[in-house]
Amino acid sequence: MIGQMRAGDVVLLTTAASVQFLRPITVRMIRELPDRHTYDGWIWIDCYELNAAGDAVARRELFVMRGGVQLQAHGAAPNKPRPARRQPIRRGPVRVG
């Protein structure tokens, strides 16, 4: 379980944080939004979604379970494996007409 999150913290959100993260995302914290009413153990966060290079690509407000938030190495987005490169399909000549 993660305690109070601070601006700049990089966290990984998976289905442990919410079912909406079937595809995990990495975010950089801007702040928690404590003035919003939530269920016990849940929080609203204001954050930037990061791409694989660690660049901010979208600002988001997310509703997550505090216990499912995974703190990453300070200030760095985790290295994500690159998808396997597809080989081009080789086809023979096509007859027209």
Side-chain angles (χ1 to χ4, degrees), residues 73-95:
H74 183 69
N79 291 331
K80 294 183 183 177
R82 292 183 139 181
R85 186 175 175 153
R86 291 185 176 185
Q87 296 296 323
I89 298 173
R90 306 265 183 214
R91 297 185 180 174
V94 177
R95 291 185 88 157

Side-chain angles (χ1 to χ4, degrees), residues 57-96:
V57 294
R59 185 170 179 167
R60 307 207 30 203
E61 289 184 0
L62 302 170
F63 186 56
V64 297
M65 187 182 316
R66 182 183 296 277
V69 174
Q70 301 172 34
L71 185 62
Q72 300 298 295
H74 183 69
N79 291 331
K80 294 183 183 177
R82 292 183 139 181
R85 186 175 175 153
R86 291 185 176 185
Q87 296 296 323
I89 298 173
R90 306 265 183 214
R91 297 185 180 174
V94 177
R95 291 185 88 157
V96 178

Side-chain angles (χ1 to χ4, degrees), residues 4-20:
Q4 181 76 14
M5 290 179 280
R6 297 177 305 198
D9 284 349
V10 175
V11 297
L12 177 65
L13 302 176
T14 65
T15 54
S18 175
V19 295
Q20 66 184 311

Side-chain angles (χ1 to χ4, degrees), residues 13-61:
L13 302 176
T14 65
T15 54
S18 175
V19 295
Q20 66 184 311
F21 303 114
L22 189 58
R23 181 185 62 83
I25 66 170
T26 303
V27 299
R28 179 170 287 119
M29 289 293 302
I30 298 171
R31 63 190 171 125
E32 284 189 36
L33 302 170
D35 55 332
R36 296 195 182 172
H37 300 286
T38 64
Y39 297 104
D40 187 38
W42 290 79
I43 57 172
W44 277 95
I45 60 174
D46 189 15
C47 57
Y48 290 108
E49 183 175 354
L50 305 178
N51 64 13
D55 300 320
V57 294
R59 185 170 179 167
R60 307 207 30 203
E61 289 184 0

